[in-house]
Amino acid sequence: MCGIVGYIGEKSVTPILINGLKKLEYRGYDSAGVAIYTKNELEVVKCKGRLSALEDKVKDLHEDSRMGIGHTRWATHGEPNDVNSHPHLSHSGKIAVVHNGIIENYMKLKEFLQSKGFVFRSETDTEVIAHLVEYYYNSRNDLLQAVMDAVDELEGSYALGVICRDCEDTFVAARKDSPLIVGLGKNENFIASDIPAILEHTRDIYILEDKEVAVLKKDSVKVYDSLGAEAKKDVFHVSWDVESAEKGGYEHFMMKEMMEEPKVLRDTIYPRLDDGKIALDNIKITQENIKKIEKIYIVACGTAYHAGVVAKYAIEKLARIPVEVDVASEFRYRDPLVSERNLVIIISQSGETLDTLAALREAKRRGARILSIVNVVGSSIARESNDLLYTWAGPEIAVASTKAYNTQLAALYLVALDLAFKKGEIDLSQLEASIKMLREIPEKLDRVLSDKEAIQKFASKHYNAKSIFFIGRGLDYALSMEGSLKLKEISYIHSEAYAGGELKHGTIALIEKGTLVVCPMTQDFLLEKMVSNIKEVKARGAVVMAITQERNAAEVEKVADMVIRIPDVDSLIAPIVAVTPMQLFAYYMAVEKGCDVDKPRNLAKSVTVE
């Protein structure tokens, strides 16, 4: 959500800012802008729309500028337009600011600043920061201290880049609850919201912690804590390459990332398997710990929440521990009954999802043990957890999550099996059998992806559908929720997921001639029930696409219009394989409609505001 890039060094700054912002387009935005330092002035160029529009407008900027900040905005306060775009200038034009996050007390600060004669031009909360920094700078004549004084007044979340026309060789960055990194180069340094923005320039970064402030010069970086003391920072070296964040010949990042699913599943599963047992790095839950767990809470948002619903079935079946799955934004406000007798599993691709991070902190405050499953090394959620399992999905650029979801499922199955074995609910032979099945998943996904043309052909006939329903039972209901979300995210087709048994309780009233219904059918013991559900919707004119294992395909073909076959796989772990055909279906529907698959409207990759 929104993107920040900043640079100070010896190179022309504008191309670096524009190229860095392009690498952050996946985060979602509706406007963009840059501010550069030149000849004791700050030049700001910004506009509504895509970066291509901004590129045209920055052609006349001074090529000799060596310092600047850039931003892609996703509107929260004020509509998307040129005025509300970032960067924002202070009252006199002395300070320029870019900001990710939301300032909750901006109205109170705005009233105070207006009483001091500051004039506001935009509807944003961010403009308050620019004026507030100038207010303190005017009395202190010290940019670092002015920023520190200003952030002390801010309530909410922020990642900031600040430059000043009086400071030709320095700019300042700060963060709280919104991710921000510092890139370390030779005679040049950077800030960015995410690694891909600066990866072509450096692999060495500092990850800023909450309430830290960084001062960047071309040949030095100093980081200070909230009390003004210099903080000792460890350098994080990025191990993945630039190509991992490029399309690699595919038309869209989403297709590239789906095609990577077999590889990233191998990366996530295989290193955790050791001589027929599971060895989970950074998880230190003992048999004694497990005995004390009365209930497990799984807390997440969006796609990660759907992975949690699958995990509920797996953990309860294997480990026989009650599991409750919560949407993070609801969990934190409902006074949850969480205590030291609970394990809370947090799931987040970015590790920075604000509602999920807040839920983690609330659960931790109440004494719960936190086990987190994240993809981004060194992220806030990773750092604040008791136990940690990384999903080695690599960078996921498309806004709609695909490979990250598959690896979340794989990680959760590993956790479920580990808990079950340590608790004594499964023996060594059962564990070994389950491990063998997990090892086979990547090869089975290779086969699914090699037969994607059948899904493409079906999508080409039905992309004009106005409304699509996903119906499943048991784990297939959890799978339907994710399939429905993926479709509406990128194709903008209205879609809902329902439990098959709920059809007669109202849902079936929505089925009419030509209605498209998608039915995952991977649960053998519920197959007959789902066949009956298909007959019910078919009797009312529905067109049905089913997804099932080879062993059940012949029976399902008797009732469904289209059957997507997946390799035979145990029903309990089938979602890891069966979700990919639904991802492909959503992708091809969106492509046929001409939608912007990687950057769907109104959505952001990492949601770092409430």
Side-chain angles (χ1 to χ4, degrees), residues 18-32:
I18 295 296
N19 290 333
L21 292 176
K22 285 180 178 178
K23 298 296 193 299
L24 297 176
E25 285 188 289
Y26 68 91
R27 296 173 70 87
Y29 71 103
D30 46 44
S31 59

Side-chain angles (χ1 to χ4, degrees), residues 425-436:
E425 296 293 340
I426 60 173
D427 59 25
L428 184 58
S429 64
Q430 291 170 306
L431 179 65
E432 290 173 341
S434 296
I435 287 173
K436 181 177 182 295

Side-chain angles (χ1 to χ4, degrees), residues 258-266 406 440-451 566-567 575-581 583-584:
M258 288 186 290
M259 296 301 293
E260 290 173 345
E261 287 174 357
K263 176 191 179 299
V264 298
L265 281 169
R266 291 185 182 95
N406 295 66
E440 294 170 351
I441 290 295
E443 184 272 332
K444 293 180 188 294
L445 259 183
D446 274 323
R447 288 161 57 188
V448 170
L449 289 163
S450 69
D451 195 30
I566 64 172
I576 308 181
V577 179
V579 72
T580 300
Q583 294 168 348
L584 288 164

